[in-house]
Amino acid sequence: MGMMKRLAILLTAGAALPVTLAATGPKPAATPAAPTAKPPLDLSTLHVQVILDHLGFSPGILDGRPGISLTQALKGFQESRTLPVTGQIDAATLNALHRYRGWRPTKAIALGSAMLAGPFVGRIPHNEDDQAKLPALAYRTKLEKLAEMFHTTPAVLIELNSPATKLAPGTTVTFPNALPTSRAYPAELTDGWKRTLNDLNVDATEPVAARIVVDKSDSVLRVFDRDDKLVAQFQVTTGSEHDPLPLGTHKVTNYDYNPKFRYNPALFWDAKSSDQKAMLPAGPNGPVGVVWMNLNIPHYGIHGTPEPQYIGRTESHGCVRMTNWNAARLTLMMKPGIPVIFQA
């Protein structure tokens, strides 16, 4: 109790006033989960998550709750600052975070037309042949787009505001504070990819990676600079019993931004015998999300996901899966040719 009280004193800005607004429902989960009692959203915990997210030690979903992603983010931050690695919000960690307290836990923003712009596709069919007929695997709803923009879920936005949210230009909505410090993206990037980075609130100012290490034991991707210092860290999903992570040293060969996805059932152990090859359209709800970072191993890469809430909690088909906002951010840290080490 004493530690949480100290956390509140050091970090919180106080709860935002409730806003009366209209909302669409949360994004449906791909896999039904057993109902569990969730702790209430805590602004002090959200503040720690927001600071870690800004610093590149991603806690995953910004939801104001403890969990494995927050624990791993704290461990990474502690290692990077040569603190005792506890994975806890302890006194030493609070003292180190205190200098960043200016990044408040939430931000009240008046919705603009660009934030609410589509396209939106409503319900996405499960069958790949039907998905291939869509113009894009875009966001289902405005609420889903806004949630991913601020590194959270529709349910968290409703918690921070009201189930009666009206998503219209000029409406003020409270979000987790995932706003970047810079949007000055590299000039050589395409306008389309810059829009994606902007829509995901990816910061243009990032450390330069010298090598990437993906560890299967804790489902974490670590970014090291040329001095071998840990400068960023992300929770990931890595392989499965059927498609294990290919251990060893590999390299990134190229990026495919906002990629289409060539579905080949022969490459998926869980594909149905009736499945046919299909070219799925691009979009954040595509199987690999907003970016594919190709590796020098056939059919393997690092990529985004349409289901950020499952990162680090489910299996993949052998690739390394990240939230869309973290995968996009990683592309600004590294260049093709960088070594990528997969270890157990």
Side-chain angles (χ1 to χ4, degrees):
M1 181 64 70
M3 183 59 68
M4 290 310 294
K5 184 177 291 185
R6 185 177 180 190
L7 172 59
I9 292 171
L10 281 173
L11 295 178
T12 56
L17 292 175
V19 201
T20 303
L21 309 163
T24 54
K27 176 178 179 176
T31 305
T36 56
K38 290 196 302 184
L41 185 154
D42 177 72
L43 279 178
S44 297
T45 302
L46 179 60
H47 200 180
V48 171
Q49 291 177 322
V50 162
I51 292 172
L52 291 171
D53 189 61
H54 276 277
L55 293 174
F57 294 88
S58 174
I61 299 292
L62 300 180
D63 63 357
R65 294 176 172 88
I68 58 172
S69 294
L70 176 56
T71 298
Q72 294 295 355
L74 286 164
K75 287 182 177 179
F77 174 77
Q78 290 161 346
E79 178 184 340
S80 73
R81 267 59 176 182
T82 63
L83 299 172
V85 179
T86 65
Q88 302 296 317
I89 305 173
D90 51 33
T93 303
L94 285 176
N95 287 335
L97 291 171
H98 186 258
R99 63 183 292 193
Y100 306 107
R101 66 192 181 281
W103 284 318
R104 308 314 303 172
T106 61
K107 191 79 173 177
I109 299 173
L111 297 179
S113 56
M115 295 175 70
L116 299 170
F120 301 105
V121 296
R123 179 182 172 275
I124 294 177
H126 179 71
N127 182 273
E128 285 80 10
D129 287 339
D130 293 330
Q131 290 180 14
K133 298 173 185 176
L134 295 174
L137 285 169
Y139 293 114
R140 297 174 177 91
T141 64
K142 295 175 183 178
L143 183 60
E144 183 183 49
K145 178 185 178 181
L146 291 171
E148 184 144 288
M149 183 179 289
F150 288 90
H151 309 176
T152 191
T153 65
V156 170
L157 292 187
I158 292 172
E159 282 183 274
L160 286 172
N161 296 278
S162 162
T165 305
K166 183 178 180 182
L167 299 178
T171 301
T172 299
V173 179
T174 298
F175 295 99
N177 183 13
L179 293 176
T181 59
S182 170
R183 299 182 192 269
Y185 304 116
E188 66 269 19
L189 297 178
T190 65
D191 289 342
W193 184 237
K194 288 178 184 177
R195 282 194 298 272
T196 299
L197 294 171
N198 182 71
D199 284 348
L200 292 172
N201 278 324
V202 174
D203 203 305
T205 304
E206 300 293 348
V208 178
R211 68 184 176 101
I212 305 296
V213 177
V214 177
D215 199 315
K216 180 181 176 182
S217 68
D218 56 10
S219 298
V220 167
L221 181 151
R222 295 176 173 86
V223 180
F224 295 89
D225 67 11
R226 64 180 183 179
D227 297 321
D228 210 32
K229 179 183 177 182
L230 179 64
V231 292
Q233 179 180 293
F234 306 101
Q235 193 82 33
V236 294
T237 294
T238 59
S240 67
E241 178 183 352
H242 297 276
D243 297 294
L245 188 71
L247 303 182
T249 300
H250 315 291
K251 67 178 180 179
V252 175
T253 61
N254 61 282
Y255 300 152
D256 190 358
Y257 301 129
N258 293 312
K260 294 181 179 180
F261 182 78
R262 189 182 301 276
Y263 175 69
N264 182 355
L267 300 176
F268 294 83
W269 66 268
D270 53 352
K272 296 177 182 177
S273 58
S274 58
D275 284 355
Q276 301 294 318
K277 292 181 180 180
M279 178 63 78
L280 306 186
N285 271 315
V288 297
V290 300
V291 65
W292 171 268
M293 291 165 265
N294 195 58
L295 298 176
N296 62 333
I297 323 169
H299 313 302
Y300 281 90
I302 303 170
H303 61 82
T305 180
E307 300 288 354
Q309 67 272 28
Y310 295 131
I311 293 298
R313 293 165 175 81
T314 56
E315 297 180 332
S316 76
H317 287 92
C319 293
V320 176
R321 188 186 301 159
M322 311 172 69
T323 66
N324 279 334
W325 59 86
N326 285 337
R329 186 174 191 175
L330 183 61
T331 67
L332 296 182
M333 297 182 182
M334 63 183 194
K335 300 291 186 184
I338 189 173
V340 177
I341 301 162
F342 291 164
Q343 64 186 35

